[in-house]
Structures are given as structure tokens and as C-alpha cells.
Amino acid sequence: IRLSLYMRVMMSKYILAVGCSFTDKNYKSHRKDVTVDWDFWQDHIGDWLDLPVKTIAESGGSNQWMHDAVIEEIINNGDNILV
């Protein structure tokens, strides 16, 4: 059965955000004058949908690494997440 996006959001316990440096809250810039003290994209989505966000990210992470992280999280917690 295909669920509407609204129903998927209502049934989800958290949002899964997987990505590279654009998602990595531990990102360190090579420039000393740049600090990472802003909200990332996943924070805005979490606020908008009123759901907590679980972030799995690594600066320089490959598409294969991100794919594997998503699959592993779905296997372990698939009924609870909104990817």
C-alpha cells in the first residue's frame, strides 16, 4: 500500500539525513576564518516537519558510503524513519 507523504511523516519518529560535508556538523573548513556555526539543511527540515533528525555524515563521504549508511539504517530502523 502506498502511503501519502503526510501519512509517512505522521508515522515517522525521526528524519534520517545522510550526506557529505554539506550535512556533516563536524565539518572543518581548510580556511581558518570560516566557522561552522549555522543550522544545516536537515535542521530546517526537522523544524518544518516537527521531527527530530538523526544525521549520519562524513566530509568527503562517497555516494557508495552514503548509500550503505542509508541501507543499514533502513534495515535497523526502517519503520521509524523518514528518509
Side-chain angles (χ1 to χ4, degrees):
I1 298 173
R2 295 183 73 184
L3 297 175
S4 69
L5 178 58
Y6 174 77
M7 289 302 295
R8 293 247 335 133
V9 169
M10 296 307 294
M11 293 170 53
S12 300
K13 294 184 179 162
Y14 64 96
I15 296 168
L16 176 63
V18 177
C20 60
S21 56
F22 290 110
T23 310
D24 186 1
K25 292 187 176 210
N26 296 315
Y27 171 74
K28 301 279 190 266
S29 175
H30 66 282
R31 292 181 44 185
K32 296 192 186 318
D33 61 330
V34 175
T35 59
V36 181
D37 58 355
W38 56 79
D39 288 338
F40 284 71
W41 65 268
Q42 66 267 29
D43 301 317
H44 296 286
I45 301 290
D47 290 344
W48 183 58
L49 295 175
D50 195 27
L51 284 171
V53 177
K54 179 176 182 179
T55 301
I56 302 173
E58 183 176 300
S59 294
S62 68
N63 288 335
Q64 184 66 52
W65 179 87
M66 289 180 246
H67 168 269
D68 294 347
V70 169
I71 296 301
E72 182 176 340
E73 192 68 21
I74 288 172
I75 289 169
N76 294 330
N77 298 300
D79 293 339
N80 300 317
I81 60 176
L82 180 65
V83 179

